[in-house]
Structures are given as C-alpha cells and as structure tokens.
Amino acid sequence: MLTVHRSERGDVLLDALAEVLAVPGADPFVPDLIAVPARGVERWIIQGLASRLGIAANIEFPTPARLVADAVGAASGIAPDDDPWRGERLVWLVLTAIDAMAFEPGGAVLARHLGVSRPGGWAEQPGHRPRRRYPTAELLAGLLRSYGANRPGMLADWAGGRDTDGLGGDLPEDLRWQAELFRRVRDLAGVPSPAERLDDACARLRDEPGLVGLPARLSVYGPTRLPSDQVAVFSALAAGRELHVWLPHPSPALWSALAGGAVRADGPAP
C-alpha cells in the first residue's frame, strides 16, 4: 500500500515518521529502510528519531535512485554493480561511440565540438581538442541516464529505431544524432538499457513482491521531485508492501490542484 504524507514543515513529517517506526516490524533483525536524497538528510532524520524515540538504530538509508536500481536489477536479472549502463562503465561506452561517430556524417555536431575537420584518425586533425573527449562522454552519459529516468518511453522508442521525443512527437532533426548515439551505446553494452527493462521489471515486482530483499515497510523521505522511473518502481513495490512517501510541500491549494490531475502521469511528481 502506498501512503503519501504531505506537510509544509519537515519536522511535522518527522513526527509522523517516528510514529510509524515506533511500531516494531515482524522481525526485529530486519532493518527499516528510509530512502533519502542526501547524507545530510540522513543525519537529520537519525538525530530527530533518536530524540523522539530514545534511540534510532538498525535503519538503512539508500538514495531513491539506488533503491530503484536495486529493484529493477533484481527484477531484470542484472545487478546494478554489473550493469554496463551504470557508473563509469557507461562513460567509457559513450566515449567509444563518440570516437566512431565523430568521423561519420551523422556525427557532425560531435565533430565540430571535438575539432574533427577531415577524414582519418585523431592524429590527422589539426584542430583536435583532446581534452574535450572524456568530459563530453561524461556529459552525454549523464544525459542518457537523465533521459532514462525522466522519459523512459523515449529511450524505448529510440531502441526500436523510432526517433521520438517521448511525448508523442518526432525528435527535432538537429537532435537525432543523440538517438543514434544511444543505439550505438546500446549495441556496445550488449544488454537493453534500464529504461527498456522498466515496464517488465515493474510487472514482476507487482506479481512477485518477494523478488527483492526489502522489508515489509519502506519510506521515501524528502524528495523534491520524483522522476518517472522512480514513480513507476515505487508504485510497483507498494503493491506488495507498506510504502510511505514523506513530501515537504508548501501549498495545500497547489497540492490539491496537482493531486486532481494537473500533473502528467508520465512526468515528475511534486
């Protein structure tokens, strides 16, 4: 069951969180889990819970992104630590892809940025900017991760050869090189991207709650926004366990308007 708690004040949310945690779980050796956006929030929660409950122990504090990655990994059979789409591994795949695309007609944007002006290898380029290659790969890897989190449907379309913007329209001509870059990275990775695995993973998480080694009670505290992939995975996890989302939000009127359907179902939640 998914329960959303909203308040203008973080300490009010913490009071309610303490009330939830005051009820012990079925197994005292299973830690409670509270996903937090930053380590500073973790320390503040620990101190606040200790002052309210007398002690705060046996609590794990992953980030929401890590919680989602672990859940999708368990459901898809690819552990996050082995996933070529995670961390530095993705950067090196992107670097390999842009090194090839920069010398092809479809990579004109990359060629201009990296200083490629004639056929041949990097040694043949008088205007080559070698210090730009790795930072460019890092930037593009971050963009692909962001696209996967916020518009997973767009990457699924790109994987299928459809250059869409993920919102029902075609990708602008000057951005289509990004779709080609994604497909090349996908070929190098050898496995579908997390965005492509998302729907099947969520279906398995709903049908098989025990697939992930998570406690029966979870909390997500203090997110200022929730990307589409996190909304989907949290909804799936809530089908088989108790999941509390603690949202700081300053305006009851705006919250009512958003809750009434003013937010796109596939966009970030407030």
Side-chain angles (χ1 to χ4, degrees), residues 5-18 44 221-222 245-249:
H5 309 260
R6 184 206 64 82
S7 177
E8 304 93 274
R9 295 174 49 182
D11 58 336
V12 174
L13 291 174
L14 192 55
D15 289 340
L17 174 60
W44 179 76
Y221 188 95
V245 180
W246 308 88
L247 293 177
H249 194 277

Side-chain angles (χ1 to χ4, degrees), residues 39-261:
R39 295 278 74 86
V41 177
E42 172 188 339
R43 290 191 291 271
W44 179 76
I45 289 176
I46 283 286
Q47 293 169 357
L49 291 177
S51 67
R52 289 164 172 80
L53 300 175
I55 187 173
N58 201 26
I59 304 174
E60 295 181 354
F61 290 92
T63 64
R66 181 69 195 198
L67 176 59
V68 166
D70 287 345
V72 172
S76 61
I78 303 176
D81 290 340
D82 299 325
D83 193 341
W85 291 90
R86 303 289 177 185
E88 287 292 308
R89 292 183 292 275
L90 178 58
V91 177
W92 289 107
L93 294 178
V94 172
L95 182 61
T96 301
I98 65 175
D99 277 354
M101 281 189 65
F103 293 93
E104 299 174 4
V109 172
L110 291 169
R112 286 194 300 271
H113 182 69
L114 298 175
V116 174
S117 58
R118 63 179 66 172
W122 291 110
E124 308 299 325
Q125 310 305 317
H128 174 214
R129 303 181 179 97
R131 294 183 180 179
R132 284 191 175 184
R133 288 171 59 218
Y134 188 83
T136 299
E138 280 190 309
L139 173 63
L140 293 174
L143 281 177
L144 292 181
R145 292 191 194 99
S146 179
Y147 293 161
N150 294 286
R151 294 190 183 181
M154 181 175 72
L155 291 193
D157 284 348
W158 290 4
R162 300 178 298 277
D163 295 347
T164 73
D165 61 5
L167 298 174
D170 292 332
L171 199 64
E173 190 68 33
D174 62 334
L175 297 179
R176 293 192 176 185
W177 64 271
Q178 295 187 28
E180 176 60 24
L181 174 67
F182 168 77
R183 286 188 283 268
R184 294 192 181 213
V185 171
R186 187 180 187 274
D187 289 341
L188 291 169
V191 296
S193 67
E196 297 169 73
R197 300 177 233 145
L198 182 63
D199 287 345
D200 288 343
C202 288
R204 286 200 69 191
L205 291 171
R206 287 189 177 90
D207 295 340
E208 306 173 54
L211 192 64
V212 289
L214 294 173
R217 180 175 63 195
L218 310 173
S219 284
V220 180
Y221 188 95
T224 54
R225 65 186 300 274
L226 290 173
S228 295
D229 64 338
Q230 293 184 16
V231 172
V233 172
F234 291 154
S235 297
L237 290 174
R241 49 182 47 83
E242 180 183 338
L243 194 150
H244 297 266
V245 180
W246 308 88
L247 293 177
H249 194 277
S251 171
L254 179 58
W255 177 260
S256 297
L258 293 172

